[in-house]
Amino acid sequence: MALSLSSIADELYRHQTAATELKKLTLRYEGLTVDDAYEIQRLTMQKYMAEGARLVGWKMGLTSKAKQRSVGVDEPIFGHLLSTMELTRPTLSMKGLIHPRVEPEIAFVFRSRLEGPNVTARDVWFATECVVPAVEIIDSRYENFSFTLVDVIADNASSARFYLADQAFSPYAFRLDEVGVVMRQNGEVVQTGAGAAVLGHPVRSVVEQVRMLTRFGAAIEPGMVVLTGGITEAIYVHPGDRVEIAFAGMGAIELEITE
Ligand code: OOG
Ligand code: MG
């Protein structure tokens, strides 16, 4: 089995780097488990790291009911965030992407390590340096953006790019569950939501992240970022689009989509 997981990781890596779609793994390989899928994810990410990418954090996904419903998967998942995925300016090039979608998120940045099965919200606050409005660009490598739980985990939870706003905030500055988000595409309101969409409160997503990482022998390390999960449904974007995401009291991100 070890051999075939690594050949599946090779296949995903090829599709991720070439930006080409593939057929769901679960249609082609029988009996893949969630643990297998996380192992495929880890093996795939190791290939990027062997080429110089750094692990800069983690992302939670499918933490909101809207997102779970839209993809037909009813439990949270996590993925790796690599230095090569981070945008340093709010401009998204379609190069290297298949059918990208954009979603608003709250990011946490940590100053101390978090690990263990029994981490509480209190531990998370104590370890948090700041919170930052963020946008994630997801780009499932599966045909039609359609997958099962096992498929999406293997594909690093659809991670493609992410961007953190310039302004960071004290974790105590706002009730993050009550932060409202308005997403506009070319001036038109396309999604609205509030932080509470993320497991009731984004801090719960970090608690869940640590719990899941602990199961796989990993942790949140000092300096890492965690994306807590889409606050609204993700929207498809195309070259020439301007996406504005306003976070009440925390400013806005204006993302420009180019060829
Ligand atoms: C899976 C990734 C979901 C989120 O924030 O919920 C995600 C997908 O929908 O492709 O990143
Ligand atoms: Mg996301």
Side-chain angles (χ1 to χ4, degrees), residues 59-60 103 105 136 138 229-230:
K59 64 162 279 184
M60 286 293 284
E103 56 190 15
E105 306 211 6
E136 186 182 22
I138 52 175

Coordinates of all heavy atoms in Angstrom, one line a residue, residues 59-60 103 105 136 138 229-230, ligand 2:
K59 N -4.3 25.2 6.9 CA -5.6 25.7 6.6 C -6.7 24.7 7.1 O -6.5 23.5 6.9 CB -5.8 26.0 5.1 CG -5.7 24.7 4.3 CD -6.3 24.9 2.9 CE -7.8 24.8 2.9 NZ -8.4 24.9 1.5
M60 N -7.7 25.3 7.6 CA -8.9 24.4 7.9 C -9.9 24.7 6.7 O -9.9 25.7 6.1 CB -9.6 24.9 9.2 CG -8.8 24.4 10.4 SD -8.9 22.6 10.6 CE -10.5 22.4 11.2
E103 N -12.5 33.0 -1.5 CA -13.4 33.0 -0.3 C -12.7 33.8 0.8 O -11.5 33.8 1.0 CB -13.7 31.6 0.2 CG -12.4 30.8 0.5 CD -12.7 29.3 0.7 OE1 -13.8 28.8 0.4 OE2 -11.8 28.6 1.2
E105 N -11.7 34.8 4.6 CA -11.3 34.0 5.8 C -10.7 34.9 6.9 O -10.1 36.0 6.6 CB -10.3 32.9 5.5 CG -10.8 32.0 4.4 CD -10.4 30.5 4.5 OE1 -9.7 30.2 5.5 OE2 -10.7 29.8 3.5
E136 N -8.6 33.3 0.7 CA -8.1 32.1 0.2 C -8.5 31.8 -1.2 O -9.7 32.1 -1.6 CB -8.4 30.8 1.0 CG -7.6 29.6 0.5 CD -7.9 28.3 1.1 OE1 -8.9 28.1 1.8 OE2 -7.0 27.4 0.9
I138 N -9.0 28.8 -3.6 CA -9.0 27.3 -3.7 C -9.1 26.9 -5.2 O -9.7 27.7 -6.0 CB -10.1 26.7 -2.9 CG1 -11.5 27.3 -3.2 CG2 -9.8 26.8 -1.4 CD1 -12.6 26.6 -2.4
G229 N -11.0 29.0 7.6 CA -12.1 28.4 6.8 C -13.0 29.5 6.2 O -13.1 30.6 6.8
G230 N -13.5 29.2 5.1 CA -14.3 30.2 4.3 C -15.5 30.6 5.2 O -16.2 29.8 5.8
Ligands
MG2 MG -10.7 28.0 2.6

